Amino acid sequence: MPEASEAEIMEHQHQAQATTATSRELPMARSMCWHCQSEVTGEYLCGQCVKVQPLSRDLDYFACFQLPRLLNIDEQYLEKTFYELSRTFHPDFYSTKDESEKAISLGNSAFLNAAYRTLKDPIQRAEYLIRLEAGAVKDIRSNPPADLFEEVLELQETLETFRQLAPKGPSSDLEALRKKLQAEREHLEKRQAEMETSLQHKFNEWDQLQERAALSGQAREEKNTILREMQEILSNRTYVRNMVNDLLETMG
Amino acid sequence: MSRIVGIDLGTTNSLVAFMDKEGPHVIPGPDGQTKVPSIVGLTDNGLIVGDPAKAHLIRDPSHTIYSVKRFMGKGLDDVKDELKYFPYHLHEKNGVIRIEIGDKTYSPPQVSAMILKELKRRAEDYLKEDVSKAVITVPAYFNDSQRQATKDAGLIAGLEVLRIINEPTAASLAYGLQKKTQGLIAIYDLGGGTFDISILKLKDGIFEVLATNGDSHLGGDDFDQRLVDVMVDDMFQTQGIKVEGNPELMQTVRLEAERVKIRLSDETQAQAVIQLPNGTYEKLWTRESVESLVMDLVERTLGPCRNALKDAGLTASQIDEVVLVGGSTRMPLVWRKVEELFGKTPHSELNPDEVVALGAAVQADILGGHTKDLLLLDVTPLSLGIETMGGVMSALIRRNTTIPTSAKEMFTTYVDGQTSVDIHILQGERELVKDNRSLARFQLKLPPLPAGVPRVEVNFLIDANGILHVTARDIRTGEAQSVQVKPSHGLTDDEVEGMIRDSFQFAAEDIKARQIIEARNEANAIIVATEKALVRAANLISDKEAEGIRRILQQLGEVKAGDDHRVIRTKISEVEKTTHHLAEVLMDATLKEALESKKLSDVIK
Amino acid sequence: MAYSEKVIDHYNNPRNVGSFQKDAEDVGTGIVGAPECGDVMKLQIKVENDTIVDAKFKTFGCGSAIASSSLATEWLKGKSLEEAQKIKNTDIVQELNLPPVKIHCSVLAEDAIKAALGDYQKKATDKKSKPAEAAASS
């Protein structure tokens, strides 16, 4: 496993301050080409020497895809843009270039892939947006769902009993337990689906608010409320999802 | 810029291909064969590779290495269950398997390098130019150590490895290019020693891998072994012959098992025939009997298929096309099982032996900047993580993440003045460290400061080859920090350099072996030609002269068995001198005949 | 870095797994969860004369979360309520050598201690105020 000296070069370039982006193009790490020092204003490739430019460290995933911070995303647009940007940045197209260009292409590609992966999945997309809008997730930590915790503990006890009984072969106790767990599973899966529906409602609320805010200025309080509500749904969903997974794993 | 070739470095066979304006082509050898058996024989006169080595395998199994790919990037512990099947001794040094042949030891990358060199030479002879850059394929399910070992093999062979590319993805490139396919395809790749399944989305020239899965220790070799086990047992039961402990016989049985298996792809029964010192062993195999013998192995490939579909978020019915790759997919049983799982007839229009090499050539052309409309977006097959307390792995990069990709982790100290943190990097899907693959360890240096003050960010980056790079940066100073990563199952840079130096020495030995083969061939040709000439010139030279020629021919026959090509050459020129008069006489006679026939024809005219 | 046998033991053989009667007056219960990973931790203390005489836990989550709660219960035993308040997640991180990705497990343990102490104190306050309430209402 060699050291990636190329990555160090890139880190170095990332030290420079980000420039302001035009609406059409991505912000690059510097306002001057790292190679020929000519002015670059958001082009991926330098207009003078055609060398690839490193993406700005301040670039967020939404901006990377030139998307506003909305939660409903046109998946076809996302894929199309991902493919286009991949054709610009992928290391395959820099294999005969010098080490610095290779390193920049590698860094830009890794960032692009992370951005696509995150935005493609609605849950990851929402979690990312919350982090972006509110700083650390903990800052808007939601109320602990005490009833859900009780449910987790209770289910785990039942699962424990089931795991102890199962190796002893079929019995009426085991069968009853299996039925109970089966019912629990259906109930939890239904709940998970409901959570996803309410999350979708929050997506719509957020998007509408963002559009209103763009016209009327700040709506910080309202935004925080939606973010907090979304965070709560996401957290609760995690507990429910874990329970479903444990159930599936134990019961096969 | 020199041409970049594509190489399929297989468990049983290897191929080399290139691309021109018409498309990708596999390069044949002088005999027209495209496959080079991945076998290396170490003779007293240096090494031989490919078909000659396959012949050597039966004569001298303890000096012949096959299926070396199974050992790439591994330690002895990883292969302990199958050691008994290999005729040579293995040991481990610095976490890397070493193969003992006579008084020499070789690491698996060195042996692979010998195969690569043969392919390189083949390409150079064919293309009539130097070949120094290559794309080499590996099973998609290869981990970091196995990929790195393959890259090392390239270096030792004198090749700059521009890219390590996954075999099923390479196959998809060749397939997609030829068929102009769009949509969701599954590549089922069952080779000699490894199994891969990859699910891809093909759209507008982009080949996006959605998920990959597999078993890097399952292939045609394992099928052969099942047949071998039955026959070895049978030979002992019926004739009291102990095959174990007789490496020559064991290899004969193995090759016969392979032959029978291949035959049964086209026919419903095949006879195994093995020559014994006193008699023969025969066994009639039916397709059904072999199918029931390997059924569980074929079924073992279905689990990874289901997992790959699940990771891609797809069901089997959503797959538009299923493509079969690898020699083992010729088995009708494999066909049927794949058809059952996906509910559609699999494609195998492209030669399953060649499609991977062809794809590697396409990728080589992309890297060379000639093919601009195709792009492959591959994934990392295994999750990457670090060891946390209690022997638990915590994942940093999930499997099936598109590469290149990176993950950053911040490290600090918990004790005042602490100056280092040990980091253990792992790959795998299990919770416990011991069930996963240890990739490497390194010690992160920290400035001696109060606890919690140092902040060093470590970046784990998986490049487009699926190979990990680690860098670190001190957040407080912004300075990059060097990281000395020690691979768990890999050669160090120094070792690789040493092996590159050694390979020059091997090269000298290779040339020696080659020169002997060439001198012998020439001697054989001269003996045959002279014997014919003696018959023709029976009435044209004296008995004494003929006697003298026969004597020196016999001497040449004796000398050619030796292993000094110079002695053979000397004798050849002696034969040429002695037969000088014979040649003249024959030439005169031929000339006369020709002139006479001319006159005759003139007359006729 | 060599880990001490004692610390590794918290992973392999977690101590004090179990439950006390939740309604008992001398028991404080804290149930907390980590929304990042869905781990849930229940930690209980048994108190006599403002000293924690016993502690038990049940944790559903990763090994680090279990080790963190095991260690926390060991530390709690014999401590006064005041001393128990001072246990910080960073102490657990240091003792168990938790990597950055697992720091939230120690936070969970600290939260559980705080919640258990809070629960016990609430019960104790209610108990004191109850006779007074009863007197007032009569």
Side-chain angles (χ1 to χ4, degrees):
Chain A
M1 219 171 320
E3 286 173 47
S5 58
E6 314 95 77
E8 285 164 27
I9 300 168
M10 216 192 63
E11 291 291 339
H12 172 73
Q13 275 137 15
H14 270 316
Q15 300 306 305
Q17 275 303 306
T19 175
T20 46
T22 67
S23 58
R24 288 183 302 108
E25 287 149 330
L26 306 185
M28 293 296 157
R30 318 200 321 172
S31 54
M32 272 199 305
C33 169
W34 58 272
H35 183 252
C36 72
Q37 313 297 326
S38 61
E39 194 187 342
V40 287
T41 49
E43 301 95 331
Y44 312 137
L45 309 176
C46 169
Q48 289 297 313
C49 67
V50 215
K51 300 270 184 197
V52 64
Q53 303 295 313
L55 291 168
S56 163
R57 270 202 158 184
D58 297 339
L59 185 68
D60 72 59
Y61 295 164
F62 288 95
C64 177
F65 279 86
Q66 296 163 30
L67 284 166
R69 286 187 189 178
L70 300 179
L71 286 168
N72 289 297
I73 284 184
D74 177 352
E75 282 177 26
Q76 277 182 353
Y77 168 83
L78 197 69
E79 184 186 84
K80 193 174 131 268
T81 312
F82 173 59
Y83 288 167
E84 271 171 24
L85 290 172
S86 291
R87 285 186 188 277
T88 309
F89 294 132
H90 197 276
D92 276 8
F93 302 123
Y94 295 88
S95 124
T96 57
K97 302 285 166 60
D98 63 39
E99 290 304 313
S100 313
E101 274 199 274
K102 278 186 194 168
I104 295 167
S105 125
L106 196 59
N108 286 3
S109 264
F111 182 85
L112 173 66
N113 287 338
Y116 182 57
R117 184 169 63 247
T118 307
L119 295 186
K120 200 170 52 169
D121 177 55
I123 302 293
Q124 284 190 50
R125 190 192 306 150
E127 283 169 348
Y128 179 73
L129 180 97
I130 293 170
R131 271 207 303 283
L132 209 56
E133 286 283 330
V137 184
K138 279 188 198 96
D139 294 349
I140 49 166
R141 200 164 185 165
S142 50
N143 292 327
D147 51 337
L148 210 49
F149 293 162
E150 294 286 355
E151 228 179 301
V152 171
L153 291 169
E154 198 181 313
L155 177 73
Q156 291 294 351
E157 307 252 310
T158 321
L159 281 175
E160 192 52 43
T161 322
F162 183 83
R163 283 188 204 109
Q164 282 165 3
L165 271 178
K168 292 175 186 156
S171 67
S172 57
D173 282 359
L174 187 70
E175 214 28 60
L177 217 50
R178 188 190 296 279
K179 278 214 180 95
K180 186 179 165 195
L181 289 171
Q182 187 62 36
E184 182 70 9
R185 191 186 127 193
E186 279 160 24
H187 161 70
L188 285 170
E189 278 172 342
K190 197 166 144 247
R191 235 162 96 187
Q192 201 177 338
E194 282 165 11
M195 283 172 166
E196 273 152 28
T197 311
S198 47
L199 197 61
Q200 183 57 52
H201 289 313
K202 293 291 156 208
F203 277 25
N204 299 343
E205 276 178 43
W206 172 266
D207 288 0
Q208 283 158 13
L209 180 66
Q210 283 289 76
E211 274 155 27
R212 255 201 340 268
L215 298 173
S216 65
Q218 274 305 318
R220 196 66 254 174
E221 267 315 302
E222 279 177 86
K223 278 188 184 180
N224 283 347
T225 308
I226 299 178
L227 289 173
R228 202 175 298 116
E229 287 165 347
M230 263 195 305
Q231 177 65 57
E232 199 165 302
I233 298 170
L234 286 169
S235 308
N236 294 354
R237 186 185 164 277
T238 312
Y239 298 117
V240 172
R241 193 201 54 204
N242 277 9
M243 279 194 271
V244 172
N245 286 348
D246 281 351
L247 270 165
L248 288 175
E249 215 174 280
T250 308
M251 299 176 65
Chain B
M1 204 194 80
S2 78
R3 205 195 294 259
I4 311 165
V5 293
I7 291 176
D8 172 5
L9 185 60
T11 308
T12 6
N13 293 300
S14 298
L15 299 92
V16 56
F18 74 103
M19 183 141 164
D20 62 16
K21 285 192 184 72
E22 277 102 58
H25 311 277
V26 177
I27 299 178
D31 56 356
Q33 290 288 318
T34 52
K35 289 194 278 188
V36 175
S38 303
I39 305 176
V40 173
L42 293 126
T43 70
D44 295 341
N45 311 308
L47 56 95
I48 47 174
V49 178
D51 280 315
K54 195 167 185 176
H56 196 252
L57 183 59
I58 300 171
R59 284 203 306 273
D60 190 5
S62 59
H63 290 89
T64 314
I65 307 172
Y66 63 93
S67 296
V68 70
K69 193 173 176 181
R70 290 191 161 226
F71 301 144
M72 293 287 272
K74 298 213 164 151
L76 207 53
D77 238 22
D78 302 318
V79 296
K80 59 175 184 291
D81 294 339
E82 52 193 302
L83 281 186
K84 60 173 186 216
Y85 298 131
F86 287 95
Y88 32 85
H89 254 283
L90 301 175
H91 70 264
E92 188 186 288
K93 192 179 146 199
N94 300 336
V96 177
I97 286 178
R98 314 286 161 147
I99 303 162
E100 295 169 29
I101 299 290
D103 55 353
K104 290 188 180 138
T105 61
Y106 302 93
S107 65
Q110 276 174 298
V111 179
S112 293
M114 296 167 190
I115 300 164
L116 289 173
K117 265 200 223 167
E118 179 65 27
L119 296 167
K120 177 176 188 277
R121 189 154 49 211
R122 175 175 275 213
E124 285 173 340
D125 288 351
Y126 185 89
L127 298 167
K128 302 200 168 43
E129 61 185 44
D130 271 356
V131 170
S132 60
K133 292 177 178 170
V135 169
I136 302 179
T137 65
V138 295
Y141 219 53
F142 254 23
N143 64 34
D144 180 90
S145 317
Q146 292 167 302
R147 285 164 197 270
Q148 188 61 54
T150 307
K151 215 175 170 191
D152 289 343
L155 270 177
I156 298 167
L159 286 168
E160 187 190 341
V161 183
L162 292 187
R163 174 62 47 82
I164 296 290
I165 167 180
N166 294 330
E167 285 157 12
T169 6
S172 79
L173 267 182
Y175 183 84
L177 187 67
Q178 176 139 345
K179 298 273 165 188
K180 312 264 180 275
T181 306
Q182 303 265 341
L184 296 168
I185 68 167
I187 308 274
Y188 179 101
D189 180 359
L190 188 59
T194 54
F195 168 67
D196 281 326
I197 175 80
S198 289
I199 314 281
L200 291 102
K201 183 183 206 170
L202 272 55
K203 197 174 180 182
D204 307 329
I206 300 269
F207 290 64
E208 186 189 1
V209 180
L210 301 177
T212 195
N213 211 301
D215 187 334
S216 66
H217 235 75
L218 175 64
D221 281 7
D222 301 290
F223 296 2
D224 299 346
Q225 194 56 51
R226 288 282 167 90
L227 274 70
V228 169
D229 288 345
V230 169
M231 289 196 283
V232 165
D233 190 49
D234 196 30
M235 285 162 89
F236 182 71
Q237 298 293 335
T238 58
Q239 306 189 29
I241 295 161
K242 270 188 157 170
V243 181
E244 275 133 352
N246 182 343
E248 287 84 3
L249 186 55
M250 182 61 97
Q251 290 317 312
T252 309
V253 177
R254 212 175 60 82
L255 290 176
E256 187 62 8
E258 188 190 1
R259 195 190 64 82
V260 165
K261 177 194 70 179
I262 291 171
R263 244 187 127 72
L264 287 175
S265 291
D266 296 320
E267 284 158 46
T268 52
Q269 53 182 41
Q271 184 87 354
V273 181
I274 291 158
Q275 296 297 330
L276 300 170
N278 38 7
T280 51
Y281 166 80
E282 296 194 16
K283 182 175 169 62
L284 183 71
W285 286 95
T286 63
R287 189 185 282 172
E288 289 80 42
S289 63
V290 170
E291 286 187 348
S292 64
L293 209 54
V294 302
M295 182 65 82
D296 64 310
L297 292 174
V298 177
E299 279 176 347
R300 236 170 77 191
T301 65
L302 303 180
C305 292
R306 292 193 192 98
N307 287 340
L309 281 168
K310 194 172 161 224
D311 281 359
L314 296 168
T315 59
S317 60
Q318 284 174 281
I319 300 295
D320 296 309
E321 286 178 34
V322 182
V323 182
L324 297 180
V325 180
S328 304
T329 59
R330 287 208 171 86
M331 282 183 89
L333 173 66
V334 174
W335 260 77
R336 287 205 308 275
K337 286 285 162 193
V338 173
E339 191 167 10
E340 253 171 55
L341 178 71
F342 288 95
K344 48 186 66 76
T345 312
H347 288 259
S348 62
E349 294 96 306
L350 271 67
N351 182 336
D353 292 320
E354 294 182 353
V355 62
V356 169
L358 292 172
V362 176
Q363 179 67 21
D365 207 55
I366 296 172
L367 296 181
H370 306 298
T371 298
K372 291 192 173 71
D373 49 340
L374 301 184
L375 174 62
L376 195 62
L377 299 170
D378 218 322
V379 299
T380 179
L382 298 156
S383 299
L384 182 106
I386 50 173
E387 176 169 358
T388 61
M389 263 300 291
V392 174
M393 163 167 148
S394 75
L396 298 172
I397 296 171
R398 296 273 166 202
R399 68 165 184 271
N400 292 322
T401 298
T402 307
I403 50 175
T405 186
S406 66
K408 289 187 170 74
E409 267 300 272
M410 192 74 77
F411 289 89
T412 184
T413 54
Y414 303 118
V415 182
D416 290 349
Q418 183 185 340
T419 55
S420 69
V421 174
D422 287 338
I423 299 172
H424 184 194
I425 311 170
L426 304 150
Q427 215 169 14
E429 308 310 320
R430 307 284 295 278
E431 197 191 348
L432 296 179
V433 169
K434 66 177 173 59
D435 299 323
N436 291 308
R437 187 85 193 145
S438 168
L439 286 190
R441 293 170 190 273
F442 67 92
Q443 196 173 53
L444 192 64
K445 298 279 176 221
L446 298 155
L449 292 166
V453 176
R455 282 160 62 80
V456 176
E457 185 185 71
V458 179
N459 189 26
F460 299 86
L461 182 140
I462 299 179
D463 68 13
N465 300 306
I467 292 177
L468 176 70
H469 302 261
V470 180
T471 49
R473 200 165 60 97
D474 190 324
I475 294 295
R476 290 169 51 258
T477 63
E479 273 171 35
Q481 204 187 82
S482 84
V483 177
Q484 294 295 331
V485 169
K486 191 188 170 304
S488 308
H489 298 280
L491 300 169
T492 62
D493 290 352
D494 286 349
E495 273 185 294
V496 173
E497 263 170 48
M499 287 169 188
I500 294 172
R501 277 196 304 275
D502 286 350
S503 81
F504 287 116
Q505 186 207 324
F506 291 141
E509 284 181 16
D510 297 354
I511 291 167
K512 206 177 134 203
R514 201 160 247 257
Q515 282 168 331
I516 292 167
I517 291 169
E518 282 168 7
R520 273 184 199 152
N521 290 346
E522 206 173 314
N524 285 332
I526 283 184
I527 292 171
V528 171
T530 312
E531 276 167 355
K532 269 190 195 160
L534 279 174
V535 175
R536 275 186 62 197
N539 300 320
L540 301 171
I541 57 168
S542 68
D543 288 353
K544 193 177 161 227
E545 188 180 349
E547 186 54 37
I549 292 171
R550 286 209 180 85
R551 200 180 314 126
I552 196 142
L553 274 191
Q554 199 192 334
Q555 284 170 8
L556 178 62
E558 284 159 12
V559 161
K560 81 173 164 84
D563 52 18
D564 191 338
H565 71 98
R566 279 163 307 190
V567 176
I568 305 173
R569 291 273 176 210
T570 311
K571 200 48 90 182
I572 288 173
S573 43
E574 269 181 51
V575 172
E576 277 167 350
K577 240 180 257 164
T578 317
T579 56
H580 194 74
H581 176 252
L582 170 67
E584 270 180 6
V585 169
L586 273 177
M587 224 165 351
D588 279 351
T590 316
L591 202 64
K592 251 184 220 164
E593 259 172 49
L595 289 173
E596 278 162 9
S597 62
K598 198 156 203 175
K599 271 179 194 162
L600 199 66
S601 61
D602 284 350
V603 173
I604 293 165
K605 215 181 240 178
Chain C
M1 209 179 309
Y3 301 118
S4 76
E5 286 297 316
K6 194 191 88 188
V7 170
I8 287 176
D9 211 39
H10 278 291
Y11 289 89
N12 297 334
N13 308 299
R15 258 60 62 83
N16 312 314
V17 179
S19 299
F20 297 128
Q21 196 59 44
K22 209 179 154 190
D23 309 329
E25 282 178 358
D26 58 348
V27 169
T29 304
I31 304 178
V32 293
E36 299 91 339
C37 56
D39 290 358
V40 174
M41 188 182 286
K42 178 172 86 168
L43 191 144
Q44 294 182 301
I45 49 170
K46 191 176 254 185
V47 185
E48 272 173 31
N49 304 324
D50 283 355
T51 299
I52 299 170
V53 292
D54 203 356
K56 288 207 183 295
F57 80 93
K58 276 209 169 166
T59 293
F60 300 99
C62 66
S64 299
I66 293 169
S68 296
S69 19
S70 172
L71 182 69
T73 50
E74 281 289 281
W75 278 353
L76 283 171
K77 281 195 263 184
K79 281 205 166 54
S80 70
L81 293 175
E82 201 181 330
E83 285 165 339
Q85 277 288 2
K86 288 180 192 148
I87 296 175
K88 288 273 168 301
N89 84 293
T90 45
D91 302 333
I92 296 168
V93 169
Q94 188 179 325
E95 182 75 13
L96 293 180
N97 242 304
L98 293 177
V101 281
K102 291 294 177 188
I103 286 174
H104 68 264
C105 297
S106 67
V107 174
L108 199 60
E110 187 190 321
D111 288 352
I113 295 173
K114 297 260 158 25
L117 289 169
D119 182 57
Y120 173 78
Q121 267 148 2
K122 189 169 168 290
K123 273 185 193 168
T125 327
D126 288 353
K127 195 175 139 195
K128 269 186 210 152
S129 58
K130 247 181 204 149
E133 274 170 29
S137 64
S138 62

